[in-house]
Amino acid sequence: MTIIKTEFALALNQVATERGIPAEEVLKSIELAVLAAYKKEYPKEDINDLKAVINPKTGEVKILKDKNDVTPPGFGRIAAQTAKQVILQKIREAEKKTIISQYFSQVGGLIRGRIIRFDGRNVYVDIGKTEAVLPKEEQIPNEKYSPNQSMIFLIKEVVNDKFNNSKIILSRADSLLLVNLFKREVPEVANETVKIIKVVRQPGERAKIAVHTEQRGVDPVGTCVGQKGIRVQTITDELGGQERIDIIQWNKDIKIFLNSALSPAKINRVEIDENKKKAKVYVSEDQAPLAIGKGGVNVNLASKLVDLVIDIIQEKNPTPSQKEEKKVESTSIN
């Protein structure tokens, strides 16, 4: 029995090669298709004892049982029709796997994609050769997504679902997205003249990024901010325009670093218990809201940035008379 002629087999191999699908995988698909067709036509037969064999030179397909040819007369036409549908499906699946495998090397990088559809909590994105998914947990809270909207994503990982189908997971909430945006917009970060020490985010609301440089004459904070704030503003726009980014100069002196991490609040003094990984930060009453931030976001991010539990302690603001008295005392000492 011949399901596919030699010319067709050559053509099929050519298509498989052009699409980057192994020819062996296509042949295996044909074998499975033939067995499926046989089972459909002869449901009482036990196909576990059978094997479909393809001659790769002629395209001839046979059904074997214990190495004996048991191909039924007239089975070729039925098998060919069934096989054609399954082959096309298998080729599409293999092609999809081949395409997705190309993205393994891009995990951790940025990609621009276009939103194409929604499935419950998930957003599906066209990233060029295939589609990827942006799960709810990887979305920026309160960010609005609409069909045909184009934006930057982080390729977070490539995973297999319970049906062993590969899918590409994107993220808009991962801190690595922010790191890569700085590498893209700030050449000094890309060439590691300025190094990003740590990034913490409350996606869509606020982020803090600690930067450092060993090179003299380079201002790491100013470099990342850019002239008139153009660099950091470009990154903010890519994140939807609502996420405030605080760029902080890293310092090995934890007290100095902590003071910077709690900006824009002005700190009176700091007490650190390194054994308990805790810090008491004393601020004036008018500075406490700035230190804490809306919903505690500023102090929480600062805590993650310096890796300390921070306790904000308010001190009463001095009265005008106390300020004047302190000024007089200072003048008399001079």
Side-chain angles (χ1 to χ4, degrees):
M1 175 196 67
T2 302
I3 292 180
I4 50 176
K5 296 184 180 296
T6 303
E7 294 80 2
F8 184 74
L10 291 173
L12 188 59
N13 286 333
Q14 182 180 353
V15 171
T17 301
E18 289 176 352
R19 296 185 181 184
I21 308 169
E24 294 79 8
E25 188 169 341
V26 178
L27 293 174
K28 183 64 176 177
S29 299
I30 297 172
E31 293 174 356
L32 294 174
V34 170
L35 287 177
Y38 185 88
K39 182 177 181 180
K40 183 178 180 181
E41 190 69 14
Y42 304 97
K44 294 182 180 181
E45 290 283 346
D46 185 0
I47 65 170
N48 293 322
D49 298 330
L50 303 177
K51 182 179 181 181
V53 178
I54 301 175
N55 185 324
K57 293 182 179 180
T58 64
E60 184 180 15
V61 181
K62 293 181 179 180
I63 302 293
L64 301 182
K65 182 176 183 179
D66 298 329
K67 298 183 179 181
N68 296 318
D69 186 355
V70 294
T71 309
F75 177 68
R77 183 181 60 82
I78 298 172
Q81 292 175 345
T82 307
K84 181 180 178 180
Q85 297 300 320
V86 178
I87 290 167
L88 291 174
Q89 180 183 350
K90 291 294 182 181
I91 287 176
R92 286 193 294 267
E93 291 175 357
E95 187 177 36
K96 184 178 180 181
K97 288 181 180 179
T98 301
I99 291 173
I100 288 180
S101 67
Q102 297 174 6
Y103 288 91
F104 275 104
S105 61
Q106 299 182 47
V107 170
L110 300 181
I111 194 166
R112 181 167 289 279
R114 178 178 60 86
I115 294 173
I116 52 178
R117 61 189 176 89
F118 304 90
D119 178 14
R121 293 155 50 92
N122 298 325
V123 177
Y124 288 86
V125 183
D126 179 0
I127 57 173
K129 295 181 179 179
T130 187
E131 69 176 36
V133 61
L134 178 69
K136 180 67 176 179
E137 59 271 19
E138 297 297 339
Q139 299 170 19
I140 294 178
N142 301 321
E143 188 170 54
K144 304 298 181 182
Y145 304 106
S146 57
N148 294 319
Q149 183 179 5
S150 176
M151 55 178 55
I152 290 289
F153 301 90
L154 175 78
I155 301 180
K156 186 164 185 176
E157 58 183 338
V158 179
V159 300
N160 290 333
D161 61 18
K162 60 182 180 181
F163 302 109
N164 203 33
N165 296 317
S166 297
K167 59 181 178 180
I168 301 168
I169 304 297
L170 303 179
S171 178
R172 290 273 294 168
D174 197 288
S175 293
L176 189 55
L177 173 67
L178 190 55
V179 172
N180 285 331
L181 285 172
F182 270 96
K183 287 182 178 179
R184 191 186 72 169
E185 297 297 330
V186 184
E188 293 83 353
V189 173
N191 63 27
E192 296 189 343
T193 299
V194 174
K195 295 183 178 180
I196 296 176
I197 305 300
K198 192 173 183 180
V199 175
V200 291
R201 287 181 72 191
Q202 185 69 39
E205 193 168 346
R206 197 164 187 172
K208 289 182 181 287
I209 176 170
V211 296
H212 177 65
T213 184
E214 299 286 349
Q215 189 166 319
R216 288 188 175 185
V218 176
D219 174 13
V221 174
T223 298
C224 291
V225 171
Q227 188 175 11
K228 296 183 180 180
I230 186 64
R231 288 176 170 175
V232 72
Q233 185 58 51
T234 299
I235 294 170
T236 299
D237 291 342
E238 287 286 7
L239 297 175
Q242 300 299 316
E243 189 167 328
R244 175 178 174 178
I245 302 173
D246 298 332
I247 303 174
I248 299 155
Q249 183 160 342
W250 177 84
N251 196 297
K252 62 182 179 181
D253 186 320
I254 191 64
K255 287 188 177 182
I256 296 176
F257 186 33
L258 179 54
N259 270 270
S260 300
L262 283 169
S263 63
K266 295 179 180 179
I267 309 303
N268 292 342
R269 66 185 189 280
V270 174
E271 296 176 359
I272 296 178
D273 187 333
E274 294 188 1
N275 293 327
K276 294 183 178 180
K277 303 288 287 183
K278 291 184 177 181
K280 290 182 179 180
V281 178
Y282 296 86
V283 298
S284 301
E285 286 179 324
D286 60 337
Q287 294 298 306
L290 291 175
I292 296 170
K294 184 179 179 181
V297 66
N298 193 55
V299 67
N300 288 338
L301 289 178
S303 178
K304 293 177 181 178
L305 194 67
V306 301
D307 197 24
L308 292 171
V309 176
I310 300 174
D311 184 15
I312 302 295
I313 300 174
Q314 298 185 42
E315 295 183 317
K316 288 187 177 181
N317 296 332
T319 62
S321 60
Q322 287 175 324
K323 289 183 179 179
E324 186 64 29
E325 182 180 339
K326 186 174 182 180
K327 182 177 180 182
V328 172
E329 289 177 355
S330 179
T331 303
S332 64
I333 291 175
N334 293 331

